[in-house]
Amino acid sequence: FTPAVVTALKAAGLRVCAWQFVYGCSPLEEARVGAAAVTRGADCLIIDAESTYEGRYASAAAYMTALRAKIGRAFPVGLTSFPYVDYHPTLPYSVFLGAGGAQVNLPQIYWKDIGDKVDASMAKTMMLNRVYARPILPIGQLYQSPTTQDVLRFGRLASAYGAPGLSWWEW
């Protein structure tokens, strides 16, 4: 993620978001790394907090406070994590998506990996994530060869739920 790569992508008409997987062991260093991506020209920052962050509320608060001090409160930040918040009750969603946190929620709705159907995964995710009062832009899976019907259904459901956008993940 260099200024040259960011500049080339922007010259091609793309908006460029940085993605950062965070662990919670060194939140101040993680905030420094996230802010560095912003200084390299990112248009937004996507924080990926998963199982390594479970139970680390103080680390999440330190990370978000330090990050916002470096990039400002208005810089666009999103959180991507598990879709079913009830399966991960100790992940600090309330910190990452709370006041001063991410403005957008990007749950990873990998229905086939989870073992659910598209409709059930989307319904449960949307219901459980609305409590954070952030726009929900779901991320669907393209790995594990989901059917074309499921991929198209995911897009239609995202629209029906009022999602302002969606993304896909492919390994």
Side-chain angles (χ1 to χ4, degrees), residues 20-40 45 47 53 59-72 77 96:
Q20 181 185 23
F21 192 93
V22 293
Y23 297 89
C25 298
S26 302
L28 300 180
E29 178 61 16
E30 289 177 339
R32 186 195 65 73
V33 170
V38 172
T39 63
R40 291 184 186 116
L45 175 65
I47 302 164
Y53 239 106
S59 290
Y63 170 79
M64 289 309 307
T65 299
L67 180 67
R68 285 298 186 191
K70 294 176 184 310
I71 66 172
V77 174
F96 287 116

Side-chain angles (χ1 to χ4, degrees), residues 19-169:
W19 170 87
Q20 181 185 23
F21 192 93
V22 293
Y23 297 89
C25 298
S26 302
L28 300 180
E29 178 61 16
E30 289 177 339
R32 186 195 65 73
V33 170
V38 172
T39 63
R40 291 184 186 116
D43 294 309
C44 59
L45 175 65
I46 307 301
I47 302 164
D48 189 343
E50 298 186 26
S51 59
T52 57
Y53 239 106
E54 290 187 83
R56 296 179 186 257
Y57 285 82
S59 290
Y63 170 79
M64 289 309 307
T65 299
L67 180 67
R68 285 298 186 191
K70 294 176 184 310
I71 66 172
R73 292 184 62 82
F75 188 83
V77 174
L79 171 71
T80 188
S81 193
F82 304 111
Y84 299 171
V85 298
D86 62 335
Y87 285 13
H88 301 276
T90 64
L91 191 89
Y93 292 97
S94 60
V95 176
F96 287 116
L97 294 168
Q103 298 103 323
V104 177
N105 185 357
L106 300 108
Q108 301 165 11
I109 309 176
Y110 304 155
W111 65 89
K112 192 170 181 181
D113 197 37
I114 293 168
D116 277 343
K117 301 291 184 194
V118 175
D119 289 60
S121 290
M122 185 70 85
K124 183 172 184 171
T125 299
M126 297 306 245
M127 178 190 67
L128 293 173
N129 282 273
R130 289 213 164 132
V131 68
Y132 301 108
R134 296 288 187 265
I136 300 171
L137 286 81
I139 303 174
Q141 76 175 93
L142 292 179
Y143 66 97
Q144 295 181 334
S145 303
T147 66
T148 300
Q149 180 181 352
D150 281 351
V151 170
L152 293 172
R153 180 73 179 153
F154 183 85
R156 286 192 297 273
L157 285 171
S159 179
Y161 278 106
L166 60 90
S167 300
W168 302 100
W169 176 256

